Amino acid sequence: MKKSKTKGIIQFILLFLSVFTFFVMGSSNNSASAADNSLQKVKQRGELIMATSPDYPPYEFQSSGANGQNEIVGMDIEVAKKIAKDLHVKLVIKSMNFDSVLVAVETGKADMAIGGINPTPARRQSVDFSKIYYTGGQSFLINASDVNKIKSQKNLAGQNVGVQTGTLQYNLAKQYIPNVTIKGMDKTTDLVLALKTHKVDAVGMEKPSAEAYVKNDPSVKMIPSTYKLTQNETGVAIAFKKGATSLTNAANKSITEIQKKNLTQQYLASAGKYMKVNTVNTSMWHYWDYFAKGVEYTLLISLISSLVGVLLGMFLALMRFSKLKWVRAISISYTEFVRGTPLMVQVMFVYFGIGVVVNLPALLSGIIAVSLNSGAYVSEIIRGGINSVEKGQTEAAASLGLSETDLMRFVVLPQAFKNIWPALGNEFIALIKESSIVSIIGVTDLIYQLNIVRADTYRGVMPIFVAMLLYFFMTFILTRILNHYEGKMKHADSE
Amino acid sequence: MQTQNKNDDIIQIKGLGKNFGDKVILKDINGEVKSGQVICIIGPSGAGKSTFLRCLNMLEKPTSGSVIFDGTDLTKLSDKQLVEVREKMGMVFQSFNLFPNMTVRKNLKLAPIRVKHMSDEEADKVATHLLDRVGLSDFADVYPDSLSGGQKQRVAIARALAMNPEVMLFDEPTSALDPEMVGEVLGVMQELANEGMTMVVVTHEMGFAKQVANQVWFMADSAILEKDTPDEIFSNPKNPRTKDFIGKIIEAK
Ligand SMILES: Nc1ncnc2c1ncn2[C@@H]1O[C@H](COP(=O)(O)OP(=O)(O)OP(=O)(O)O)[C@@H](O)[C@H]1O
Ligand SMILES: [Mg+2]
């Protein structure tokens, strides 16, 4: 009996997966074969959407500006603005992890990706590139105290070198530095922090970025790299979706003009000015509005997701008690599947995967993914709560002639609720913390804002500490509130 | 609905069988309960006594045979129709099964209000009357957790009576009680019997069976092996299994 039941469920999950895969694969094939109307689409929309990861000064970074306005600035932004202006459209900036910017272009979330991207042959297989608009070159950041020890790239043999994951620097270091131990991290700010705390001996990065750090932080120094590089590896270019030739050509026209007038020098100079502003006041108070926005989004996502999660969870739990086998099977498959995959993957799947079919904004994608995830856990909590009510209670109620609904409503659910409530409280608290994963698709929650502040102030630890306190306050207050109601319920019971 | 009812049998059990998977729990059980009769069911543990009782109000669906109550074959009814039958058969459990989330009064009022659609005042009157009858008027507004076992079981009886049932089913109502509380519960049951309530009682209280029962049914190995008056069963059992069982009980006392 048992065996065939599990087998049935496995079959169901497999079916579910194959239908789904078919659906997603099918739709991405469709979009690839579409004719090139990329330029026309941008012009019709009146907006040019770019994806970037604004933690890479001076290419792109978040600035609190002279007049207190938060904006993304940098050389790349100026280049993008120039292209948008030449097309007579508005520039819209979508920020996300560097890992995600090329995916955003491939899946149509953005028209182009800019972010100090080197047009390597590997990348050319998945996206199209514009002409190279700037040639920087590779270098390493080291601790100032090590200048006598690490004089050139040769001295890095056998050392620990930090590089941003998914970058050219990562591949170069791995390939050309003998016996090196690579430490890959998402954020340049984390890498610099790792350097300063001696977890790595050097950080590989683009020359202009390294120069920016050296200018703003006397404890780090720069050494040049001795990689033998082609144009494709030193230059940076703009990524477009494969086949978006008309848009790429339009961008190339702007780039030609930028090169002719040597505008990048001008752009770099003004980016440097923003960076000066940033280093003047790096106290955390100065950034309170960043943190406030982060808290606001974290609370917003957690609140909506827990409400939707509870509704979905109740629904799934009721399905679990259905008399129909296939209804139960759907609920079980869903719950098992969601609990068996990481939230991070689910968030990326909703944003990029579903994004192929319907274009969902990042915040909505984040909320949907977290809600869907929470629903599965809540349904297990509710199911457990209902099962914890003694069978005798149901039988006594049934023997009195109570209908199925009344039996649930007056006898089982009130008793189940007492067991459900504390577990549900834990789920809400977990949600506040776990929702932080949405930062990878660029939702401006607390973690995301934290990284912005770190990139902006060149201070590695302090913003982490502030975020930690803020998370703690949120969960602490929520715990108090939940305990208050739990206490109330107990009281009502023993009256 | 009364067409099949040729005599005054309130319950007729015909060829009743019950399996759990391939395990046979009850086989070919037959019997009649007449209106106003008290039937006591005795037998060793695992004989199927509880299962039999639960088949009478369809808490357990029989695998074969039929249970005819007031002329209606319960095994043919839908779940919806069963709900209506169940209110006419009160049931009292070994473990009381009072609703811990409601006061004693609310325990009594829930079914009359939700099932019989009584007004709140009416249900309140019924509850007050019944609590008085089981001697627990003072405990109407406490939660069940604060009652003793004997008090809980008396509340459970009152709760079943609040639906004004035609038959009361008891499954070892005193087995979970401390010895000094057994008397108060049996007292209430005896009164009920005296008032003419039809009762089917699974019990090991021989004194009660001797005094109150019209018939004692002995169950062992999934079947009823002997049915007789209490005097005959206890002093002159015919089936060797019955003999053995009665002997052991008397020894234990
Ligand atoms: N839901 C069930 N699934 C499978 N087997 C069951 C189930 N309920 C009862 N049984 C089995 O049926 C048999 C009879 O159980 P039942 O409770 O009716 O016996 P009983 O005569 O009331 O015993 P006791 O005196 O211990 O209460 C036992 O062997 C028990 O294990
Ligand atoms: Mg039993």
Side-chain angles (χ1 to χ4, degrees):
Chain A
M1 273 286 280
K2 241 214 173 115
K3 222 174 194 169
S4 68
K5 196 174 152 199
T6 359
K7 214 170 134 198
I9 288 167
I10 290 172
Q11 275 170 352
F12 195 88
I13 292 180
L14 287 179
L15 183 76
F16 177 78
L17 279 179
S18 50
V19 168
F20 208 72
T21 318
F22 184 76
F23 173 67
V24 171
M25 299 294 233
S27 49
S28 58
N29 285 345
N30 284 348
S31 51
S33 61
D36 174 31
N37 57 354
S38 50
L39 181 61
Q40 193 190 341
K41 251 166 71 186
V42 168
K43 285 198 162 157
Q44 265 170 8
R45 202 193 300 134
E47 284 177 349
L48 177 65
I49 303 172
M50 67 169 269
T52 193
S53 169
D55 62 344
Y56 204 49
Y59 286 93
E60 51 268 312
F61 54 103
Q62 195 95 21
S63 160
S64 56
N67 42 8
Q69 287 239 308
N70 310 328
E71 52 180 341
I72 297 171
V73 295
M75 176 179 71
D76 283 345
I77 310 301
E78 297 302 318
V79 171
K81 273 187 187 156
K82 165 86 176 136
I83 296 169
K85 201 178 142 206
D86 291 349
L87 294 175
H88 306 291
V89 295
K90 227 179 87 197
L91 180 69
V92 176
I93 303 174
K94 275 196 179 175
S95 49
M96 57 192 71
N97 267 13
F98 187 74
D99 277 345
S100 300
V101 293
L102 289 184
V103 185
V105 169
E106 283 177 71
T107 56
K109 287 271 161 198
D111 300 313
M112 60 182 195
I114 314 191
I117 306 172
N118 307 108
T120 60
R123 283 177 179 151
R124 281 188 191 280
Q125 290 186 350
S126 47
V127 289
D128 283 351
F129 277 102
S130 70
K131 292 204 294 191
I132 285 166
Y133 61 88
Y134 181 76
T135 306
Q138 302 294 335
S139 58
F140 296 96
L141 212 55
I142 58 168
N143 279 309
S145 53
D146 284 344
V147 280
N148 292 322
K149 209 175 99 197
I150 305 171
K151 292 200 173 103
S152 73
Q153 186 179 324
K154 260 191 229 139
N155 301 119
L156 291 176
Q159 305 284 325
N160 294 321
V161 173
V163 277
Q164 211 175 356
T165 43
T167 61
L168 174 67
Q169 290 81 14
Y170 189 101
N171 297 334
L172 288 174
K174 210 161 111 186
Q175 222 175 323
Y176 294 115
I177 305 176
N179 300 321
V180 74
T181 308
I182 302 276
K183 293 258 155 71
M185 296 189 191
D186 260 354
K187 300 268 166 205
T188 309
T189 41
D190 288 325
L191 289 166
V192 174
L193 184 61
L195 176 71
K196 290 167 81 173
T197 52
H198 300 279
K199 301 218 166 47
V200 296
D201 303 299
V203 176
M205 61 172 84
E206 289 261 343
K207 203 166 112 204
S209 282
E211 275 169 353
Y213 274 99
V214 170
K215 223 180 269 172
N216 284 289
D217 190 340
S219 71
V220 293
K221 289 272 174 287
M222 187 181 95
I223 57 168
S225 80
T226 54
Y227 299 131
K228 285 186 199 64
L229 300 169
T230 65
Q231 261 270 306
N232 279 345
E233 291 163 323
T234 51
V236 290
I238 307 172
F240 294 91
K241 187 171 182 162
K242 266 227 171 297
T245 319
S246 53
L247 188 59
T248 312
N249 289 340
N252 280 340
K253 238 186 250 163
S254 301
I255 292 173
T256 308
E257 199 188 328
I258 288 172
Q259 284 172 332
K260 221 184 270 163
K261 297 189 184 162
N262 203 6
L263 289 175
T264 42
Q265 279 315 314
Q266 201 177 311
Y267 295 161
L268 274 176
S270 69
K273 248 182 264 156
Y274 278 112
M275 284 163 59
K276 287 234 176 61
V277 174
N278 287 340
T279 42
V280 167
N281 190 347
T282 60
S283 98
M284 290 298 111
W285 282 120
H286 185 66
Y287 286 90
W288 73 270
D289 52 333
Y290 279 69
F291 288 111
K293 187 177 174 196
V295 167
E296 183 191 329
Y297 273 76
T298 289
L299 285 178
L300 179 77
I301 296 163
S302 310
L303 191 75
I304 297 180
S305 301
S306 47
L307 288 179
V308 178
V310 164
L311 288 179
L312 178 65
M314 287 202 299
F315 194 68
L316 287 167
L318 286 181
M319 284 172 73
R320 233 11 213 278
F321 290 98
S322 160
K323 287 201 177 74
L324 299 173
K325 200 174 160 192
W326 62 270
V327 173
R328 288 199 306 269
I330 289 179
S331 172
I332 293 172
S333 313
Y334 178 86
T335 310
E336 295 282 314
F337 188 75
V338 169
R339 294 203 314 166
T341 48
L343 176 57
M344 182 168 145
V345 177
Q346 293 163 4
V347 168
M348 295 202 291
F349 182 78
V350 171
Y351 188 55
F352 296 120
I354 311 275
V356 173
V357 187
V358 254
N359 200 358
L360 299 171
L363 177 63
L364 185 60
S365 302
I367 290 176
I368 290 176
V370 177
S371 302
L372 291 178
N373 180 277
S374 177
Y377 285 92
V378 169
S379 90
E380 283 297 287
I381 291 171
I382 293 179
R383 193 173 71 92
I386 290 177
N387 282 342
S388 75
V389 177
E390 273 177 63
K391 199 164 165 251
Q393 293 289 312
T394 332
E395 293 185 338
S399 79
L400 286 166
L402 286 175
S403 67
E404 197 106 347
T405 334
D406 279 0
L407 180 157
M408 270 287 165
R409 180 173 154 202
F410 294 102
V411 179
V412 176
L413 287 182
Q415 294 183 54
F417 193 66
K418 256 196 297 174
N419 298 327
I420 291 172
W421 181 256
L424 216 50
N426 286 340
E427 170 66 18
F428 292 158
I429 287 164
L431 220 52
I432 289 188
K433 294 181 290 180
E434 278 165 17
S435 67
S436 61
I437 209 82
V438 298
S439 62
I440 59 169
I441 53 168
V443 178
T444 54
D445 81 324
L446 188 47
I447 291 289
Y448 187 86
Q449 296 293 88
L450 153 73
N451 284 322
I452 297 292
V453 174
R454 294 177 67 203
D456 210 32
T457 58
Y458 296 89
R459 295 179 69 178
V461 182
M462 199 54 195
I464 297 180
F465 183 63
V466 172
M468 202 158 82
L469 282 183
L470 289 173
Y471 271 114
F472 179 69
F473 282 135
M474 284 191 275
T475 54
F476 183 77
I477 291 168
L478 181 62
T479 312
R480 296 295 108 176
I481 295 172
L482 291 168
N483 283 351
H484 174 74
Y485 283 105
E486 202 181 327
K488 253 191 173 168
M489 269 189 297
K490 278 209 183 103
H491 195 66
D493 201 51
S494 56
E495 256 178 312
Chain B
M1 277 300 202
Q2 303 278 320
T3 46
Q4 288 181 42
N5 208 1
K6 293 175 226 103
N7 43 38
D8 55 352
D9 288 345
I10 189 162
I11 306 176
Q12 281 178 301
I13 303 119
K14 289 182 179 166
L16 183 71
K18 171 74 187 171
N19 301 350
F20 281 120
D22 352 319
K23 212 166 136 199
V24 178
I25 309 296
L26 297 176
K27 54 183 184 227
D28 195 28
I29 308 268
N30 294 286
E32 298 83 35
V33 182
K34 294 189 196 311
S35 187
Q37 258 188 340
V38 176
I39 308 287
C40 278
I41 299 174
I42 60 171
S45 180
K49 306 181 296 294
S50 299
T51 309
F52 170 63
L53 206 63
R54 294 148 56 81
C55 279
L56 293 186
N57 66 351
M58 300 290 132
L59 277 184
E60 223 59 92
K61 297 272 161 64
T63 315
S64 56
S66 49
V67 174
I68 295 157
F69 175 71
D70 275 349
T72 312
D73 185 352
L74 302 189
T75 57
K76 301 270 187 310
L77 297 186
S78 67
D79 284 356
K80 261 232 170 79
Q81 292 168 305
L82 268 182
V83 166
E84 285 166 33
V85 173
R86 285 208 186 108
E87 58 171 290
K88 296 187 199 157
M89 288 202 231
M91 188 157 193
V92 175
F93 303 83
Q94 182 175 342
S95 51
F96 324 126
N97 296 345
L98 293 179
F99 306 135
N101 55 321
M102 306 173 199
T103 61
V104 165
R105 186 194 298 281
K106 288 233 176 82
N107 263 276
L108 265 67
K109 283 164 67 177
L110 177 66
I113 290 176
R114 297 300 307 176
V115 182
K116 279 199 149 52
H117 306 291
M118 271 188 203
S119 71
D120 195 69
E121 295 90 63
E122 259 181 293
D124 217 66
K125 246 190 237 160
V126 171
T128 309
H129 168 72
L130 285 170
L131 284 176
D132 188 39
R133 193 165 147 191
V134 298
L136 291 171
S137 314
D138 293 344
F139 297 88
D141 296 311
V142 306
Y143 282 83
D145 276 350
S146 58
L147 298 178
S148 74
Q151 290 169 330
K152 279 183 193 163
Q153 198 58 301
R154 284 187 280 156
V155 172
I157 295 173
R159 180 177 69 180
L161 289 175
M163 291 302 286
N164 198 17
E166 293 174 27
V167 179
M168 285 284 282
L169 311 175
F170 294 83
D171 191 359
E172 304 202 35
T174 58
S175 298
L177 297 181
D178 291 339
E180 70 269 21
M181 292 172 184
V182 171
E184 61 191 69
V185 172
L186 291 181
V188 169
M189 290 168 63
Q190 180 146 21
E191 256 174 60
L192 258 184
N194 294 345
E195 285 161 23
M197 174 64 77
T198 312
M199 293 163 55
V200 180
V201 187
V202 175
T203 184
H204 291 127
E205 295 296 332
M206 297 304 147
F208 176 82
K210 269 187 198 161
Q211 252 181 328
V212 183
N214 302 90
Q215 264 193 10
V216 175
W217 297 358
F218 174 71
M219 267 186 94
D221 301 339
S222 319
I224 296 177
L225 299 185
E226 193 164 351
K227 271 187 218 161
D228 219 324
T229 61
D231 281 345
E232 278 298 302
I233 288 266
F234 291 121
S235 39
N236 188 19
K238 317 238 158 21
N239 189 301
R241 291 294 304 270
T242 323
K243 259 185 213 162
D244 190 47
F245 182 74
I246 304 282
K248 274 187 191 141
I249 285 185
I250 291 168
E251 222 169 86
K253 294 246 156 152

